[in-house]
Amino acid sequence: MKLLKSSTAIMGATAFLFITGCVRPSTIAATNTANQQAASVPVAAERTTLEGKWDYTMSNPDQDPFSGVLMVQRGGSAGYTGWISVSTIDYEAQTKVTKAEIQGEKFTYIGEVQTRMGSYGFEMTGTIRGNKMTGQNKVRTDSGPVVFSVTATRK
């Protein structure tokens, strides 16, 4: 009911302005055309990308959290290459990327990291919003998978 009263009031005010000569028909037409054009202009969506240098923190209930840098670049057979560093042990390793994809804000980053203690497969999944990443990293170890919560900020 309130909407009906508002519409009636707007129509009445427009009719009053038109009849009294305060508004010309060409002004109304120009205003309507401008409003329609403004409404049809597409707004560019921010493109989500996995690329970049990410400051990350990984944690799970059974271990102390650790942090470092995750670097992801275009290239390689899966479309991306990368490396990871761990600050607490001053270590950096190349990452063999076997799959990397983004669907909307959701990402999947799968590969293998070579460390001093051997090679470990991983599957990192989550969400990227602007320069913030949240998700989980499932690392395959000799004693079974270990799941870490991941938060990261693109530098």
Side-chain angles (χ1 to χ4, degrees):
M1 189 67 162
K2 191 174 189 175
L3 178 62
L4 184 59
K5 287 181 183 179
S6 297
S7 298
T8 305
I10 292 170
M11 289 173 34
T14 304
F16 173 77
L17 292 172
F18 180 71
I19 292 168
T20 60
C22 293
V23 175
R24 293 189 175 86
S26 59
T27 304
I28 294 171
T31 301
N32 288 341
T33 301
N35 288 340
Q36 289 170 352
Q37 287 173 345
S40 66
V41 174
V43 176
E46 185 176 322
R47 186 174 154 257
T48 301
T49 180
L50 188 56
E51 291 175 89
K53 200 172 197 177
W54 298 87
D55 285 328
Y56 74 85
T57 300
M58 291 192 202
S59 59
N60 79 17
D62 300 325
Q63 296 177 328
D64 289 334
F66 61 94
S67 60
V69 175
L70 173 66
M71 179 67 167
V72 182
Q73 300 169 302
R74 288 277 181 192
S77 61
Y80 291 91
T81 62
W83 57 262
I84 189 168
S85 71
V86 181
S87 299
T88 53
I89 59 173
D90 193 27
Y91 183 73
E92 187 176 298
Q94 283 298 120
T95 306
K96 178 183 174 188
V97 181
T98 56
K99 180 179 180 181
E101 66 181 28
I102 293 185
Q103 295 178 346
E105 295 178 329
K106 303 288 184 191
F107 75 91
T108 301
Y109 186 63
I110 301 172
E112 189 175 297
V113 62
Q114 191 70 30
T115 71
R116 294 177 199 142
M117 298 175 285
S119 180
Y120 297 94
F122 68 88
E123 180 175 340
M124 190 181 305
T125 58
T127 304
I128 297 173
R129 290 191 179 101
N131 291 324
K132 300 287 184 190
M133 175 192 293
T134 56
Q136 72 172 22
N137 188 16
K138 185 188 298 183
V139 179
R140 290 184 308 274
T141 68
D142 295 338
S143 56
V146 178
V147 178
F148 296 91
S149 294
V150 179
T151 58
T153 302
R154 192 182 344 245
K155 289 183 175 192

